[in-house]
Amino acid sequence: MQNAILHPTPFPTNTLPITLTPTIDRTSYALTQMSLPTDTPTPIPEPLKSIELGDYTIDIMTVQRNRKLDGRILLEFSMVFFNNSNEITSFEQIFTYNVYFNGIQLTPTSSLLDSTNKNMYTNIKPGAKINVVKTFELQEISQGSIELEIRPYGDKTHQFNEIIGYFN
């Protein structure tokens, strides 16, 4: 099976290559970060969907369907989480969410046991953003719609419930 992707834009990274540069007296090395050429602007990928929920913003960058070596079929959400509040928090601390494939709720994979989830519990300060990845198990590979329900815990006024894409 080929991996299926809902949105073809690559997940952004904020890292540049690092090199070891000898010091002037050649007795040690310094870490130097390479810079990108100034004449070539780095394209900023557009999110598949940008969701504002009160003091928080979630940019869904990609949704991919992958088969793991153990045979599981996973639906992987790559997102950027923006903390616009006045509190230190993490994605998992703030949000309650459900994902549906063809109207059937998907089971999230365990963040503690599965290395496919990234930065879900990482705290970030007010004004910061972080790339997060959350995966859900699919029972079958078929055509269908992906629906997302998400809201901050205990907040009935800020919620998102929408079909965000389709697999063909």
Side-chain angles (χ1 to χ4, degrees):
M1 179 205 92
Q2 287 187 317
N3 292 340
I5 187 165
L6 192 68
H7 189 262
T9 305
F11 194 58
T13 60
N14 296 328
T15 59
L16 294 173
I18 295 177
T19 59
L20 287 173
T21 307
T23 57
I24 293 174
D25 63 3
R26 305 249 183 231
T27 59
S28 62
Y29 289 87
L31 289 175
T32 2
Q33 192 170 25
M34 297 172 58
S35 59
L36 294 174
T38 55
D39 58 340
T40 314
T42 303
I44 299 172
E46 290 293 319
L48 176 63
K49 191 75 173 173
S50 188
I51 305 166
E52 290 191 30
L53 296 167
D55 291 335
Y56 312 99
T57 303
I58 303 165
D59 284 352
I60 300 173
M61 303 307 288
T62 63
V63 179
Q64 297 183 47
R65 186 173 55 194
N66 299 310
R67 183 183 296 274
K68 293 296 180 188
L69 292 175
D70 62 6
R72 291 181 303 152
I73 305 162
L74 300 181
L75 188 65
E76 180 180 276
F77 284 75
S78 295
M79 304 169 279
V80 180
F81 167 51
F82 297 84
N83 180 4
N84 304 317
S85 75
N86 296 323
E87 306 278 328
I88 294 174
T89 193
S90 69
F91 186 94
E92 197 69 24
Q93 242 179 327
I94 284 297
F95 296 110
T96 180
Y97 46 83
N98 291 305
V99 173
Y100 299 88
F101 182 67
N102 288 338
I104 299 170
Q105 184 176 0
L106 301 181
T107 305
T109 60
S110 171
S111 295
L112 300 174
L113 302 175
D114 199 327
S115 64
T116 58
N117 293 297
K118 307 269 188 286
N119 294 326
M120 296 298 294
Y121 293 95
T122 304
N123 283 328
I124 62 171
K125 290 185 173 187
K129 68 179 181 178
I130 191 168
N131 294 337
V132 295
V133 176
K134 181 65 183 170
T135 57
F136 298 85
E137 282 197 54
L138 281 169
Q139 299 306 313
E140 63 181 80
I141 297 175
S142 62
Q143 296 179 349
S145 63
I146 305 296
E147 181 180 351
L148 174 65
E149 290 179 351
I150 190 166
R151 67 178 169 80
Y153 282 108
D155 185 343
K156 302 287 186 195
T157 59
H158 298 99
Q159 55 188 357
F160 175 86
N161 185 354
E162 192 174 300
I163 292 176
I164 60 169
Y166 300 90
F167 282 113
N168 294 324

